[in-house]
């Protein structure tokens, strides 16, 4: 049980692009607290100006987070409530706040989430990849060796894999994924909730090729989502199902090209692969 005379820490999600995504509750609480601990005070000052609020700000980022704990706790002990925000989206999700929240919760302070935008949830909600189980990996290591090692460790995972990436490294990361994951389905969400929001759907190599052809597609912020590994049983039954469909189409007189296109539409996967399979089946008939 928390002491009612103590202040509360509100962990407030802010927009990831579209300012309309700030909830009315978040806006009200930002105006009611005594202090806002913000990843970048200049960035949050712009949001406050937009809301017509003037609330004292205190910087809280990965380099000073531990040192801020006692200072913020003193305010709570005086009965003042605090909001914790990051530059965009939900604090603690690839953003500062974990050290503060862990320590204040350990001390028995009341921590209240104020949910809202989060890039990984927004991306998954519109990608059309399984969401019953997913594995969020945040940012991959910057060094090629460490990145490859992390990706190799994920190859057999059957959950949908979710990563954050910046425009500086998107090409390198896609190339590393293409080398390891081959034709595995990928959905890339870019600039969510913003004017140039885009979803690219294919595999890593195809999406990278699209970026080379349209360099604008390499700009902005990204959530990369990869389908999980198929179990041996699933892979086997998909193969059987695909072969049966192609055989039935060819038997009905459908051409190889069209059969491949129908199989790709119904069962997913690259048209090229279906074409080769249909061609082999036709030759055997
Ligand atoms: N706390 C944030 C959240 O709740 O999503 C994430 C902060 S993390 C430092 C920033 C990364 O999140 C970006 O590099 C990108 O991968 C992802 N991201 C944030 N906003 C995004 C957007 N509008 N569209 C796509 N990805 C976004």
């Amino acid at each position: 049980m928390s002491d009612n005379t103590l202040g509360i820490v509100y962990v407030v999600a802010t927009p990831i692009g579209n300012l309309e995504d700030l909830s009315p509750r978040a806006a009200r609480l930002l105006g009611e607290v005594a202090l806002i601990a913000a990843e970048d005070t200049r960035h949050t000052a712009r949001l406050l100006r937009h809301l017509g609020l003037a609330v004292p700000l205190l910087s809280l980022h990965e380099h000073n987070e531990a040192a801020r704990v006692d200072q913020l706790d003193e305010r709570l002990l005086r009965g003042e409530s605090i909001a914790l925000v990051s530059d965009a989206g939900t604090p603690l999700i690839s953003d500062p706040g974990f050290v503060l929240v862990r320590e204040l919760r350990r001390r028995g302070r009341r921590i209240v989430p104020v949910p809202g935008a989060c890039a990984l949830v927004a991306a998954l909600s519109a990608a059309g990849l399984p969401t019953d189980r997913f594995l969020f990996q945040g940012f991959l290591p910057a060094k090629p060796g460490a990145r490859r090692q992390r990706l190799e460790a994920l190859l057999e995972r059957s959950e949908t894999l979710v990563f954050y990436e910046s425009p500086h490294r998107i090409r390198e990361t896609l190339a590393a994924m293409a080398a390891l994951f081959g034709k595995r389905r990928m959905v890339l969400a870019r600039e969510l909730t913003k004017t140039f929001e885009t979803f690219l759907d294919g595999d890593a190599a195809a999406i990278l090729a699209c970026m080379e052809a349209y360099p604008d597609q390499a700009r902005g912020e990204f959530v990369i989502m990869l389908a999980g590994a198929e179990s041996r049983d699933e892979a086997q039954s998909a193969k059987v199902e695909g072969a049966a469909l192609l055989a039935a189409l060819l038997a009905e007189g459908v051409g190889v090209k069209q059969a491949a296109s129908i199989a790709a539409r119904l069962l997913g996967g690259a048209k090229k692969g279906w074409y080769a399979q249909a061609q082999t089946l036709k030759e055997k008939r």
Side-chain angles (χ1 to χ4, degrees):
M1 280 289 284
S2 317
D3 177 345
N4 283 339
T5 62
L6 299 185
I8 296 171
V9 180
Y10 294 101
V11 183
V12 181
T14 57
I16 55 170
N18 190 327
L19 290 175
E20 287 179 349
D21 290 336
L22 187 84
S23 75
R25 179 176 175 227
R28 173 176 60 75
L29 286 168
L30 288 178
E32 285 176 6
V33 293
L35 178 75
I36 299 174
E39 183 181 8
D40 178 342
T41 53
R42 282 169 309 176
H43 189 98
T44 301
R46 282 199 290 277
L47 176 68
L48 295 184
R49 269 199 301 280
H50 168 79
L51 297 171
L53 299 174
V55 181
L57 288 163
L58 181 76
S59 72
L60 183 129
H61 43 72
E62 57 173 324
H63 304 295
N64 70 2
E65 194 175 344
R68 289 287 195 221
V69 173
D70 287 339
Q71 191 182 352
L72 290 168
D73 197 22
E74 267 171 37
R75 306 291 291 257
L76 298 176
L77 293 170
R78 274 191 253 150
E80 294 177 348
S81 288
I82 293 164
L84 170 67
V85 300
S86 61
D87 286 354
T90 302
L92 279 80
I93 305 300
S94 297
D95 265 345
F98 164 62
V99 173
L100 180 79
V101 168
R102 179 185 56 184
E103 181 56 22
L104 291 178
R105 188 167 279 292
R106 197 184 64 76
R107 295 182 191 184
R109 309 295 176 249
R110 197 166 154 217
I111 320 276
V112 173
V114 183
C118 179
L120 80 102
V121 175
L124 275 172
S125 73
L129 283 167
T131 50
D132 52 341
R133 291 180 308 124
F134 62 85
L135 192 61
F136 176 56
Q137 286 288 307
F139 291 95
L140 285 165
K143 294 204 174 118
R147 181 174 53 216
R148 198 181 49 248
Q149 235 176 15
R150 174 84 68 86
L151 288 173
E152 275 169 0
L154 296 170
L155 268 172
E156 301 294 322
R157 299 296 301 234
S158 58
E159 305 93 331
T160 297
L161 303 174
V162 187
F163 306 86
Y164 279 167
E165 196 48 280
S166 72
H168 316 293
R169 277 207 284 270
I170 187 69
R171 285 189 172 92
E172 280 174 50
T173 298
L174 291 180
M177 287 177 171
L180 280 171
F181 289 83
K183 291 281 168 204
R184 183 92 67 94
R185 184 173 169 215
M186 173 184 282
V187 179
L188 183 72
R190 182 177 80 94
E191 292 292 83
L192 289 161
T193 79
K194 304 184 199 175
T195 314
F196 297 107
E197 179 181 277
T198 322
F199 280 81
L200 295 179
D201 198 327
D203 55 53
I207 291 177
L208 188 55
C210 173
M211 268 181 198
E212 302 302 343
Y214 304 96
D216 277 354
Q217 290 298 324
R219 301 210 172 94
E221 300 188 279
F222 301 91
V223 181
I224 305 171
M225 291 160 286
L226 268 170
E230 275 181 304
S231 69
R232 274 182 225 288
D233 283 355
E234 282 167 345
Q236 189 53 32
S237 68
K239 241 187 193 164
V240 171
E241 193 185 356
L245 174 68
L246 287 177
L249 289 168
L250 295 173
E252 289 298 321
V254 175
V256 168
K257 199 169 159 202
Q258 207 186 348
S261 157
I262 293 170
R265 190 147 21 97
L266 292 179
L267 302 176
K271 233 188 260 181
K272 223 166 121 188
W274 288 118
Y275 184 89
Q277 208 179 324
Q279 189 66 42
T280 314
L281 275 175
K282 192 178 172 194
E283 282 160 13
K284 277 193 194 151
R285 281 165 53 105

